[in-house]
Amino acid sequence: MNGNFLWGSATAAYQCEGGWKEGGKGLSNWDVFCHSEKNNVNPVTGDIACDHYHRYEEDIRMMAEGGQNAYRFSIAWTRILPEGTGEKNQEGIDFYNRLIDTCLKYKIEPLVTLYHYDLPQPLYEAGGWENRKIVDQYLDYAEICFKEFGDRVKYWITINEPNYETLCCYGFGNYPPNVQNLERRWRAMYHMMLASARASAAFRERKLPGMIGLVSDSYPIVAGKDTPEGLRAAHMADLFFNLSVNEVCVKGAYPRDFIEQLQADGYDISYMFKEDEAVFEKGTVDYLGINAYNRYIAEPPQGPETILDVNNTGDGKKKRFQIGGWFCLGEDPDMEKTPWGMEICPRSIYDLLMELKRLYPDTPVMITENGVGNYDEVTDEGVHDPYRVAYLQGYVDWIGKAIEDGCDVRGYFVWSTMDVYSWINGYKKRYGLVYIDYDSEDLRRIPKDSYYWYKNTIEEKGRTCYG
Ligand code: NOJ
């Protein structure tokens, strides 16, 4: 048996549900973005996606048959409150009740993300996360979810990836609102952190059983050069990617040198109110969710300008990443990379977990996402994805070693349960343990080799340090 360790996989509402206009759902910013021609470089939508809205039972059953005991999914804010605020929509609530109850029927522990990139369109139009009003609006929405589902959901996630989402929205500019403006980015992220802190405190006030956390895309950072400039660059990258989120939600305060750097950049930070400090202090997390994909090699910036290229086409071309005054990202030419330029380095998860243990010894960690995107193909004998098996195996082994060395890791979730809409990368970049044949009428599900590998691994590892 695998004790209480959670072995699962993850999805998010917009990426898999479909049913974009069903059950009284309102429109989200992603519905609107995918239907506009502007900026949608891989012009597809999540209107149907995997049709999880109707086929969720099949997906959950496959998880259970694959040995998994937990499912991480997100609630679409627009199903609960179609306009983002105001009247709640019972049909939406009923859908998530069915989803949760089906998980429980198959002995699958639900982990629920309250916000995973899809914002109700009216709130988006009012400025989205840049507008401080959203903090109260998010709290109202979270309270409804705690009330409706809190009797059965024991693991909550306030917000998915405040860092990566805002980097895409306001850094790369490949997610709506498609701008390149880091000043606006930090502001939006601040309101996310504030909203998360408010919801964490509110959850605890309800005295519901369970834990609440935030999912942080976190990165092991290596200094490219062992010089004072090289070490400074590594620290700046750590502030940029990790500490600007993790310190706030785990320790309840922004790092002083982070704030100083925003001021040095000449940014207006008047949106940071003095009274918010108490909110952050009170709203720390019970556990930290980590989305683990890659590591970064930090170098001193090569100039004052900020350059953020992005690879949404899987063309293998090299991209530049530099934050003027902070750092730039280097590369290790000897490391294997995916067609989207992501370095494959499973052992780096060990370094990250040991660093989290050093920084936050009392906070349990949950690996809420780990996976690799690729072009998978179906053959007569199924879907062979040895690259995914090797990648996941490496991560699972190194996580096991970190557990042996004292890290408090409570669960591991593969991204993704089945192939899903991969945001701006469309449908060709597949991460699933289960292949979706998007061309077939019934959106046929075909377990990949990695699905069977995962099943065996859960059985085996459950008898080791993961117990
Ligand atoms: C992180 C995000 O949470 C998820 O939505 C996304 O699809 C995966 N990374 C893969 O890129």
Side-chain angles (χ1 to χ4, degrees):
M1 267 315 289
N2 48 315
N4 293 325
F5 194 84
L6 299 179
W7 287 103
S9 55
T11 63
Y14 187 71
Q15 297 183 265
C16 68
E17 282 181 7
W20 73 304
K21 283 186 170 170
E22 278 182 70
K25 179 184 161 298
L27 290 184
S28 76
N29 57 336
W30 275 89
D31 289 313
V32 175
F33 171 73
C34 289
H35 277 268
S36 75
E37 282 178 8
K38 214 171 143 213
N39 300 316
N40 194 3
V41 296
N42 286 306
V44 285
T45 71
D47 294 2
I48 303 172
C50 316
D51 197 25
H52 189 61
Y53 184 69
H54 298 108
R55 295 168 201 270
Y56 61 89
E57 176 144 10
E58 184 181 350
D59 295 324
I60 294 170
R61 182 176 41 75
M62 287 181 85
M63 272 179 239
E65 286 170 1
Q68 299 173 44
N69 63 9
Y71 177 34
R72 175 180 171 224
F73 59 87
S74 79
I75 293 182
W77 190 333
T78 48
R79 287 201 192 279
I80 306 295
L81 293 163
E83 296 296 311
T85 56
E87 279 296 294
K88 58 182 188 183
N89 170 38
Q90 192 55 44
E91 269 190 85
I93 294 171
D94 293 345
F95 168 66
Y96 291 109
N97 273 328
R98 290 197 296 278
L99 191 60
I100 292 164
D101 291 343
T102 306
C103 286
L104 299 177
K105 174 173 139 192
Y106 286 94
K107 302 210 172 3
I108 299 264
E109 188 73 53
L111 251 88
V112 172
T113 313
L114 289 166
Y115 172 77
H116 194 129
Y117 296 7
D118 51 335
L119 203 57
Q121 179 67 7
L123 304 192
Y124 170 79
E125 283 172 14
W129 289 102
E130 290 177 76
N131 182 342
R132 190 178 170 99
K133 276 199 188 142
I134 201 168
V135 177
D136 286 334
Q137 293 162 334
Y138 170 86
L139 185 65
D140 291 345
Y141 156 65
E143 291 275 22
I144 297 174
C145 295
F146 296 151
K147 178 169 170 288
E148 298 289 342
F149 313 122
D151 55 334
R152 286 152 295 154
V153 173
K154 297 202 211 87
Y155 295 91
W156 292 90
I157 293 159
T158 55
I159 294 194
N160 179 69
E161 299 192 338
N163 207 309
Y164 190 69
E165 188 197 347
T166 55
L167 184 60
C168 290
C169 297
Y170 301 100
F172 298 127
N174 57 347
Y175 290 7
N178 306 96
V179 291
Q180 293 203 313
N181 182 329
L182 290 179
E183 184 170 20
R184 287 174 61 183
R185 186 256 176 149
W186 293 121
R187 180 190 173 100
M189 203 166 121
Y190 180 86
H191 292 140
M192 284 182 170
M193 298 308 296
L194 197 60
S196 172
R198 293 273 301 278
S200 301
F203 173 76
R204 277 191 290 270
E205 266 157 35
R206 284 180 174 262
K207 305 229 175 321
L208 288 165
M211 299 168 101
I212 192 154
L214 171 146
V215 163
S216 167
D217 48 301
S218 295
Y219 309 84
I221 306 234
V222 178
K225 286 183 198 67
D226 194 11
T227 58
E229 296 75 31
L231 296 175
R232 176 188 180 270
H235 177 63
M236 295 311 285
D238 204 14
L239 280 179
F240 187 91
F241 289 115
N242 298 325
L243 305 176
S244 53
V245 170
N246 298 349
E247 289 288 301
V248 188
C249 70
V250 179
K251 290 209 190 144
Y254 269 90
R256 181 171 290 280
D257 51 353
F258 170 76
I259 307 274
E260 283 167 3
Q261 184 61 40
L262 297 193
Q263 285 167 325
D265 288 344
Y267 295 158
D268 174 10
I269 54 165
S270 56
Y271 54 83
M272 297 186 176
F273 295 175
K274 183 80 192 141
E275 64 257 34
D276 296 344
E277 287 174 14
V279 176
F280 288 124
E281 249 172 66
K282 202 172 150 211
T284 53
V285 291
D286 300 325
Y287 70 95
L288 185 62
I290 296 292
N291 285 357
Y293 288 91
N294 46 355
R295 71 163 185 162
Y296 287 137
I297 301 170
E299 307 270 3
Q302 290 165 359
E305 57 296 323
T306 291
I307 308 164
L308 293 167
D309 296 338
V310 70
N311 184 346
N312 291 128
T313 49
D315 60 7
K317 278 204 201 113
K318 207 175 151 214
K319 306 287 165 186
R320 293 161 310 162
F321 190 114
Q322 170 162 290
I323 307 296
W326 294 58
F327 66 95
C328 72
L329 291 182
E331 214 192 298
D332 181 344
D334 296 333
M335 296 295 286
E336 192 191 338
K337 313 224 172 34
T338 70
W340 284 265
M342 188 183 89
E343 184 192 74
I344 301 189
C345 186
R347 79 179 146 76
S348 65
I349 188 68
Y350 177 82
D351 301 335
L352 176 66
L353 288 171
M354 294 307 278
E355 174 70 352
L356 291 171
K357 171 175 172 294
R358 185 181 74 78
L359 291 173
Y360 316 122
D362 302 324
T363 303
V365 165
M366 189 86 79
I367 305 294
T368 36
E369 282 183 36
N370 175 230
V372 65
N374 220 316
Y375 298 107
D376 298 329
E377 270 168 35
V378 197
T379 67
D380 290 346
E381 302 103 56
V383 182
H384 301 310
D385 54 349
Y387 34 85
R388 183 165 297 108
V389 169
Y391 176 96
L392 298 174
Q393 177 81 62
Y395 269 83
V396 167
D397 288 346
W398 282 104
I399 292 166
K401 169 123 179 60
I403 294 174
E404 276 170 6
D405 291 348
C407 294
D408 184 3
V409 183
R410 303 283 175 94
Y412 173 79
F413 290 74
V414 173
W415 182 269
S416 43
T417 307
M418 61 278 187
D419 293 336
V420 297
Y421 168 68
S422 208
W423 304 111
I424 195 67
N425 292 302
Y427 286 98
K428 292 211 173 82
K429 190 177 186 187
R430 294 170 181 267
Y431 282 84
L433 294 169
V434 173
Y435 185 94
I436 302 268
D437 182 357
Y438 294 109
D439 296 328
S440 67
E441 218 171 283
D442 59 348
L443 292 166
R444 197 155 58 101
R445 270 83 169 138
I446 309 167
K448 301 180 192 175
D449 287 356
S450 54
Y451 169 93
Y452 297 107
W453 162 84
Y454 197 34
K455 183 177 171 143
N456 290 336
T457 300
I458 295 170
E459 261 173 45
E460 248 169 55
K461 295 280 179 185
R463 290 189 290 270
T464 65
C465 62
Y466 284 92

